[in-house]
């Protein structure tokens, strides 16, 4: 039997580099059989799961300390030299201990070694090969990641709103969460939320943490400031164009960033009672806000609207809520579409929409030309950087600008038909608002009434128990059109059928 006592060392990294290496259990089994066959006496076993790319392994260092402290030379039994070291520091320690005669033997089932100059040379070569493999593998992984980024593929776990697709090795919109992300971006950009209210809004939609609790404000801020939703990947300060579907446009993203910089504290509502029309009107005498309160009289409790008298004394009387509601219904009636006008107006709008789409064909062609020019500039920029002509800082800044511009152009090219919204959608919204106003006349949906009034009129005042507004464009044009229609007898036969005036002559459209 070999009188030298051996330390058995087995290691398997948890990192990708060692996936092909047999498990620790398999190593131990092979080493135990090898020791029995070769009559090797194992003094102690050192087992750990850690990468050997860098110094700092606890079990390995403990084994080295014991070798230094040992009064007699010892041996090491391992599966292969790369189990002992994959870096120059640990490999150098093993070689040095052999030179000091602290290590008398190294035994490997897969590698022959003897403590001679030739054996030490071969051991150094084995350690060098292990380090080269480790370094090369690391560089290959980094190169692969850079290539994935150039292809626009997401590297990690999908962000909220996306799911990982193992087949394409990329991300794609989650059928439900993607819609939630779009909604929260739109609402936040419209100023409807602070970070505090946004987290509860996401919770309402079912977007919560892994533990089932409402997301924290920091998590919501990360969602609202992540450029991935616009189709961009930012890695180590460099921007790449993603090959996955964006959830929002750059314009909406920038609007949210602007809101984030403006909102530092959550808003707190001062409304403690259900007074639906507070904050809607001001006093026509002193300019103070119209507030509300409960009052008792005639055997019951009533709601009264009154001047807050913020600017001093005011002689305006109280106004009962049912009287205010009756006058509000009258205001909505003024801007509602008469019977028969709606269908004719929407039909004409569809004609104009078709005409605009034809005009936008040339616009789309120009966009395609600009997109080609942008891609050419991007290619030249990359080539200039690779050739060493352009500094890295200038390259990264200009590349980010060109990537943003390219994404914007591609989105415009894909959805160029939506450019009709520049004027068609506001007009459609106006017609729909007027149509909705007519329905609200016979409704008790007070929040919608308030919202419509805020949209259709300014200078909303209450004076002498009378409610008034200054109708804005194009709603004041609708009032004039209705008056003209009535004045001229509804354009003859058209009035009997409830039809509106001809659009090409009507101040409704010109308004």
């Amino acid at each position: 039997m070999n009188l030298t006592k051996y330390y058995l060392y087995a290691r398997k990294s948890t990192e990708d580099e060692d996936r092909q290496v047999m498990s620790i259990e398999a190593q131990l089994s092979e080493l135990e059989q090898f020791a029995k066959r070769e009559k090797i006496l194992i003094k102690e076993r050192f087992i750990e799961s850690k990468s050997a790319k860098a110094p700092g392994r606890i079990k390995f260092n403990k084994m080295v300390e014991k070798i230094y402290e040992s009064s007699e030379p010892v041996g090491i039994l391992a599966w292969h030299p790369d189990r002992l070291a994959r870096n120059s520091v640990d490999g150098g320690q093993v070689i040095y201990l052999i030179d000091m005669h602290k290590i008398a033997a190294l035994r490997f089932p897969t590698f022959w070694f003897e403590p001679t100059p030739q054996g030490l040379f071969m051991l150094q070569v084995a350690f060098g090969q292990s380090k080269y493999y480790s370094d090369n593998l690391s560089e290959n992984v980094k190169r692969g990641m850079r290539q994935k980024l150039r292809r626009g593929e997401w590297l990690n776990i999908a962000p909220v709103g996306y799911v990982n697709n193992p087949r394409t090795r990329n991300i794609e919109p989650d059928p439900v969460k993607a819609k939630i992300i779009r909604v929260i971006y739109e609402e936040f950009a419209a100023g409807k939320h602070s970070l505090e209210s946004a987290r509860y809004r996401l919770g309402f939609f079912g977007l919560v943490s892994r533990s089932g609790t409402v997301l924290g404000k920091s998590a919501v801020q990360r969602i609202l400031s992540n450029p991935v939703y616009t189709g961009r990947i930012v890695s180590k300060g460099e921007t790449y164009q993603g090959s996955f579907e964006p959830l929002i446009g750059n314009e909406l993203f920038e609007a949210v960033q602007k809101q984030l910089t403006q909102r530092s504290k959550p808003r707190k509502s001062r409304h403690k009672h259900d007074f639906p029309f507070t904050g809607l009107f001001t006093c026509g005498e002193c300019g103070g806000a119209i507030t509300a309160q409960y009052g008792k009289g005639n055997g019951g409790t009533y709601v009264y609207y009154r001047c807050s008298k913020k600017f001093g004394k005011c002689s305006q009387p109280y106004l009962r809520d049912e009287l205010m509601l009756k006058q509000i219904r009258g205001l909505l009636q003024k801007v509602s579409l008469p019977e028969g006008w709606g269908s004719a107006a929407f039909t004409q709008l569809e004609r104009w929409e078709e005409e605009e789409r034809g005009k936008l064909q040339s616009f789309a062609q120009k966009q395609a030309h600009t997109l080609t020019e942008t891609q050419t500039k991007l290619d030249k920029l990359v080539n200039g950087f690779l050739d060493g002509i352009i500094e890295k800082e200038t390259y990264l800044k200009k590349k980010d600008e060109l990537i943003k511009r390219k994404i914007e152009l591609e989105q415009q090219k894909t959805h160029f038909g939506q450019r009709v919204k520049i004027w068609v959608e506001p007009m459609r919204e106006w017609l729909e608002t007027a149509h909705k106003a007519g329905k609200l006349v016979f409704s008790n949906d007070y929040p919608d009434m308030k919202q419509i009034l805020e949209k259709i009129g300014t200078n909303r005042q209450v004076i002498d128990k009378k409610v008034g507004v200054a109708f804005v464009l194009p709603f004041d044009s609708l009032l004039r059109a209705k008056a003209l229609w009535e004045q001229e007898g509804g354009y003859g036969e058209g009035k009997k059928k409830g039809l509106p005036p001809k659009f090409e002559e009507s101040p409704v459209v010109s308004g």
Side-chain angles (χ1 to χ4, degrees), residues 84-194:
L84 288 176
R86 277 190 167 182
N87 65 82
S88 55
V89 174
D90 291 342
Q93 281 198 85
V94 174
I95 300 293
Y96 181 65
L97 287 169
I98 295 172
D99 288 341
M100 291 178 65
H101 304 290
K102 286 286 186 179
I103 295 178
L106 289 176
R107 301 297 296 272
F108 310 99
T110 58
F111 184 86
W112 174 85
F113 168 78
E114 63 178 16
T116 63
Q118 293 85 353
L120 284 172
F121 173 72
M122 293 303 297
L123 183 64
Q124 287 175 328
V125 170
F127 283 150
Q129 286 179 330
S130 299
K131 185 177 186 305
Y132 169 76
Y133 173 79
S134 178
D135 294 345
N136 191 51
L137 182 62
S138 176
E139 186 58 36
N140 287 340
V141 170
K142 292 177 182 177
R143 187 183 301 112
M145 292 175 67
R146 290 195 295 268
Q147 184 61 26
K148 280 177 67 70
L149 286 170
R150 283 192 287 269
R151 292 198 302 263
E153 297 173 8
W154 188 254
L155 299 178
N156 306 312
I157 297 175
V160 180
Y162 286 96
V163 291
N164 291 100
N165 187 327
R167 182 176 58 82
T168 62
R169 297 187 178 183
N170 207 343
I171 56 176
E172 59 186 28
D174 183 282
V176 176
K177 293 181 180 179
K179 296 178 182 177
I180 298 173
I181 294 297
R182 291 189 190 102
V183 169
I184 199 65
Y185 262 87
E186 290 169 357
E187 292 183 351
F188 202 92
K192 295 182 179 180
H193 293 296
S194 62

Side-chain angles (χ1 to χ4, degrees), residues 374-393:
T374 303
Q375 182 61 52
T376 302
K377 290 180 182 178
L378 188 58
D379 293 340
K380 290 181 178 179
L381 179 71
V382 174
N383 291 333
F385 175 68
L386 294 176
D387 293 339
I389 301 173
I390 302 175
E391 296 290 335
K392 184 175 182 180
E393 184 177 351

Side-chain angles (χ1 to χ4, degrees), residues 337 346 425 427-437 452:
L337 289 175
F346 283 112
E425 285 305 314
M427 187 170 185
R428 189 188 302 279
E429 183 182 359
W430 163 55
L431 291 172
E432 289 175 349
T433 301
H435 182 65
K436 185 177 182 180
I452 294 290

Side-chain angles (χ1 to χ4, degrees), residues 17 36 75 99 124 131 150 250 253 319 346 352 419:
E17 64 182 53
K36 185 177 180 180
D99 288 341
Q124 287 175 328
K131 185 177 186 305
R150 283 192 287 269
N250 281 324
F253 181 78
L319 176 63
F346 283 112
W352 285 330
R419 298 290 295 180

